[in-house]
């Protein structure tokens, strides 16, 4: 079992969905988890309470990552806790407002790139003073960085950008002993994916394009995060690990 005792992890967007499952999984393996939230302080507090009830160590920390200085504020709040080294950063927070090209707006385009691309990049930049030898940065990409679906053009573009950042930051930060990887989920049964999974027809379609004929669950992604967060992946760097049940092979 992955041992993260003595490690400190920050998970962005950890109040629900993949972020929540990831925060709980990291804490269960012994990490002290900083549960970031954007607006849902109550939901984040519930995650912290769950972790503490299970004997883990966690605290909630808020920041609006859509704001120009959101990543800077979050990094400052982390450093203000007196943390000398952050061992795991999971940049999970993201948005996905799917629409055809006719239905998209400049504001939607800018917000997608602000939250999904700009915030992770500058969060890494601002946390560099406490990232170092042995730290693992994990970005959340998506299968749609590889596969085209109707209505996903802007969201897919942000995830393609995340994969490019993964490779470039891995090369730049590797000499410091910092690993940077990404996880690319397929459709996972969360609130964000209900646009695909909200109907029986949608669920059957998703299963039809997968080699493994079931709907992915948040724990499927959390377990992959555990691997990249641990020393078991010590020789994995600059890569995107697709966790999609074999989607669109």
């Amino acid at each position: 079992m992955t041992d993260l005792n003595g490690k400190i992890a920050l998970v962005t967007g950890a109040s629900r969905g993949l972020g929540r499952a990831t925060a709980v999984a990291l804490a269960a393996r012994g990490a002290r988890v900083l549960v970031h939230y954007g607006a849902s302080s109550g939901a984040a507090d519930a995650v912290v309470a769950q972790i503490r009830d299970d004997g883990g160590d966690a605290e909630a920390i808020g920041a609006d990552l859509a704001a120009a200085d959101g990543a800077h504020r979050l990094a400052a709040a982390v450093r203000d806790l007196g943390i000398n080294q952050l061992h795991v950063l999971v940049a999970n927070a993201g948005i996905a407002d799917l629409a055809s090209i006719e239905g998209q707006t400049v504001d939607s385009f800018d917000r997608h790139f602000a939250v999904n691309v700009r915030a992770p990049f500058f969060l890494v930049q601002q946390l560099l003073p406490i990232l170092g030898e042995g730290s693992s940065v994990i970005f959340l990409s998506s299968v749609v960085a590889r596969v085209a679906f109707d209505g996903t053009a802007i969201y897919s573009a942000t995830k393609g950008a995340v994969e490019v950042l993964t490779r470039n930051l891995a090369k730049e930060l590797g000499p410091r002993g910092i690993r940077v990887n990404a996880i690319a989920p397929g459709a996972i049964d969360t609130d964000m994916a209900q646009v695909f999974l909200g109907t029986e027809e949608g669920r059957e379609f998703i299963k039809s394009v997968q080699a493994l004929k079931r709907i992915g669950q948040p724990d499927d992604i959390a377990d992959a995060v555990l691997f990249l967060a641990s020393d078991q992946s010590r020789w994995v760097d600059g890569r995107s690990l697709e966790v999609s049940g074999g989607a669109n092979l």
Side-chain angles (χ1 to χ4, degrees):
M1 182 178 290
T2 304
D3 182 2
L4 296 174
N5 281 291
K7 307 293 187 181
I8 300 175
L10 168 63
V11 182
T12 67
S15 63
R16 64 190 181 96
L18 300 184
R20 179 179 188 134
T22 295
V24 170
L26 290 166
R29 301 306 191 274
R32 173 189 175 189
V33 181
L34 308 180
V35 176
H36 163 262
Y37 65 92
S40 304
S41 60
D45 288 341
V47 178
V48 170
Q50 177 184 347
I51 290 172
R52 290 177 177 173
D53 287 347
D54 290 338
D57 186 1
E59 53 206 292
I61 185 168
D64 178 10
L65 295 181
D69 64 348
H72 299 67
R73 288 180 176 271
L74 177 55
V78 172
R79 296 195 304 270
D80 287 346
L81 293 173
I83 293 171
N84 295 318
Q85 182 173 6
L86 184 67
H87 302 91
V88 180
L89 167 60
V90 184
N92 164 77
I95 61 171
D97 297 325
L98 308 186
S100 67
I101 186 170
E102 293 92 346
Q104 292 290 2
T105 66
V106 171
D107 285 346
S108 177
F109 186 99
D110 289 348
R111 183 173 173 81
H112 274 81
F113 274 86
V115 176
N116 296 0
V117 184
R118 185 183 70 196
F121 177 86
F122 283 103
L123 189 55
V124 173
Q125 181 203 66
Q126 294 298 303
L127 288 172
L128 279 177
I130 57 173
L131 292 169
E133 184 71 36
S135 293
S136 176
V137 174
I138 304 165
F139 290 137
L140 264 290
S141 178
S142 170
V143 68
V144 299
R146 175 178 65 85
V147 180
F149 288 99
D150 290 344
T152 70
I154 293 177
Y155 178 71
S156 298
T158 66
K159 294 307 180 180
V162 164
E163 300 221 342
V164 172
L165 284 181
T166 297
R167 294 191 295 272
N168 281 269
L169 292 182
K171 186 174 188 301
E172 185 170 349
L173 301 181
R176 307 186 193 197
I178 302 170
R179 293 186 297 112
V180 184
N181 292 289
I183 290 175
I188 305 297
D189 202 358
T190 64
D191 292 345
M192 182 180 285
Q194 290 313 298
V195 65
F196 295 115
L197 303 177
T199 66
E200 187 60 30
E201 180 182 9
R203 296 175 74 88
E204 288 304 313
F205 169 74
I206 292 299
K207 287 191 285 187
S208 76
V209 300
Q210 294 178 172
L212 300 176
K213 302 300 182 182
R214 69 169 174 84
I215 303 300
Q217 298 300 311
D219 286 346
D220 294 324
I221 307 305
D223 285 346
V225 172
L226 289 177
F227 169 66
L228 290 179
S230 74
D231 288 342
Q232 292 173 329
S233 62
R234 60 192 174 274
W235 201 234
V236 180
D237 197 19
R239 298 301 170 192
S240 179
L241 173 62
E242 185 173 307
V243 186
S244 67
N248 297 90
L249 296 176

